[in-house]
Each structure stands twice: as C-alpha cells, then as structure tokens.
C-alpha cells in the first residue's frame, strides 16, 4: 500500500494539486448554496493555501461560483496588525478576497492584533455560533468547508504540539501559542474542525514527511482532525507525498 493511503481520508497527489483542490471547493460551494443559501468556509494561512487562493481568483474557477454567497472565516490568525505581512487575513485578501466580489460584511476575520486575545477569541466563538448552524453531532458550529495547512511540527490551524488549546472542547476559538514567531495566535478548536462538512489539508513540499508520519501514527496535532460526519481530504504535491 502506498504510504499516503495510510492517512485518514481521501488523498489526491499531483505535481500541482491546486487545480483539483479549487475544483473540489467550487463544487462543494455549489452544493452548500443549493442546500442552505450560503457557503461557509474557513481559510488557512501558509504558502499552499495562498497558491490555492490565487488559482480560485482567476479563470476558470473565478467564474464558476457565486462569490456573493460566500461567508468567509479563518481557522487561525497570528497576533499582528491586520496590515502586517504575517497576517493570514491580509494574505487571503491579497490572493483572493480583494479580487472577487465577496461581500465585505461576510468576511469574519480574527482580531488577533488586540491586546486581550482571550476576549478576541471569545468574540470569534460568538460570531461562529451566531452565523453557523449547529452540528448534528455535538454542539459546535458547522462550517461547510475548512481549509488547513500542515506545519513541519505537525500543527494545523494554530494547534501546536503540547499547547493547552489542544485540550479545549467547550469553546470554539481560543488563544494559542506557536513555537515560532509570531508566537501568539487565535485558533479554532478541534470541535469546530471536527464539526465541519468538508475539511481539506493542503500539503506541499518535501519537508512534510515527519509531520505526515505524525498524522499516520496519531501523535501530530493534525491527527486530531477526524470529522465524524464530514469528508476529510488531503491535497498533496508529489514532493510531500514522496517524503512520507
Ligand atoms: C502559521 C502557518 C502554518 C502553515 C503551515 C503550512 O501560521 O504558522 O501559516 O500554520 O499553514 O506551516 O505552511 P505551508 O503551506 O507554507 O507549507
């Protein structure tokens, strides 16, 4: 069996998986809009996500979705000003959100530049609760789609190895701490990741082997993403797949 088949969920490996991932998103957006009116998606940071946003922002994917019905969230944010180059929302704006007709009032960014990160995280929890349906399994808000990166240390969103945020089950967004700068973060928690209808990891580059082994062996934070009532996908390039 190919090593990538040991990952939980369906795995797509391509020299460049971006086009397949973009097509997948457009299709689940279509289905979500048909069922519920809006398409609720949480975006990720990282270079793999940025490449995907750049592809979504141009022909042919750009014309294949009704951007006015996208409601955009973030899986995590770094404690820095919104115009800082490290800010995940700034990256998503530059690569996608400023280039397509998403309604500004339907973009929910995490205000991680605030001094009180606990309060900012609690407010983000409230936004999730007030704008999303509740999952049938459990009480967490259910997003249609969550995009995730995979760090070399096995983190995803801003759920880092050993951080207390990994244990949180009763809140939907919390502060967390990375082991590299910017250290302070806001992240959604496992209950939100596991309440989603569709979750996709975007993994590129030859440096992800140890993290992928950590997922297969259940010890990486990313291994905790196993939505019981949702689809889990991995979109990987051949370099990442070959490193497992
Ligand atoms: C962060 C990064 C991080 C990123 C992964 C994967 O906030 O620390 O955004 O979570 O998503 O490290 O990054 P690449 O897609 O660049 O490999």
């Amino acid at each position: 069996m190919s090593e990538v088949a040991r990952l939980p969920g369906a795995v797509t490996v391509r020299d460049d998986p971006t086009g397949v991932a973009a097509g997948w998103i457009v299709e689940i957006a279509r289905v979500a809009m048909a069922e519920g009116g809006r398409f609720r998606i949480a975006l990720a940071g990282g270079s793999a996500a940025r490449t995907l946003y750049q592809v979504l922002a141009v022909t042919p994917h750009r014309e294949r979705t009704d951007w006015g019905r996208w409601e955009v969230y973030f899986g995590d944010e770094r404690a820095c000003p919104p115009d800082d180059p490290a800010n995940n929302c700034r990256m998503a704006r530059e690569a996608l959100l400023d280039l397509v007709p998403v309604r500004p009032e339907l973009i929910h960014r995490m205000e991680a530049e605030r001094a009180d990160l606990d309060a900012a995280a609690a407010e983000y929890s409230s936004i999730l609760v007030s704008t999303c349906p509740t999952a049938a399994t459990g009480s967490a808000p259910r997003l249609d789609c969550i995009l995730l990166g995979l760090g070399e240390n096995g983190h995803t969103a801003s759920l880092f190895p050993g951080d207390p945020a990994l244990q949180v089950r009763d809140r939907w967004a919390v502060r967390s701490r990375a082991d590299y700068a910017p250290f302070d973060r806001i992240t959604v928690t496992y209950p939100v990741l596991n309440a989603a209808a569709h979750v996709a990891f975007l993994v590129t580059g030859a440096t992800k082997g140890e993290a992928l082994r950590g997922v297969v062996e259940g010890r990486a934070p990313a291994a905790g993403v196993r939505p019981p009532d949702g689809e889990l996908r991995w979109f990987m390039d051949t370099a990442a797949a070959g490193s497992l």
Side-chain angles (χ1 to χ4, degrees), residues 4-14 232-236 241:
V4 293
R6 297 169 63 203
L7 288 164
V11 184
T12 299
V13 180
R14 296 280 189 283
L232 179 58
R233 296 283 303 254
W234 293 79
F235 295 101
M236 310 175 63

Side-chain angles (χ1 to χ4, degrees), residues 44-50 76-78 86 88 148-153 155-158 160 178 180-182 185 202-205 207-208:
S47 57
R50 185 177 61 232
D76 69 323
E77 188 55 273
R78 303 156 176 185
N88 283 341
L148 294 171
L150 179 69
E152 291 174 24
N153 60 4
H155 83 266
T156 194
S158 278
F160 285 83
Y180 57 88
R185 310 291 185 100
L202 314 166
V203 189
T204 57
T207 60
K208 299 294 170 72

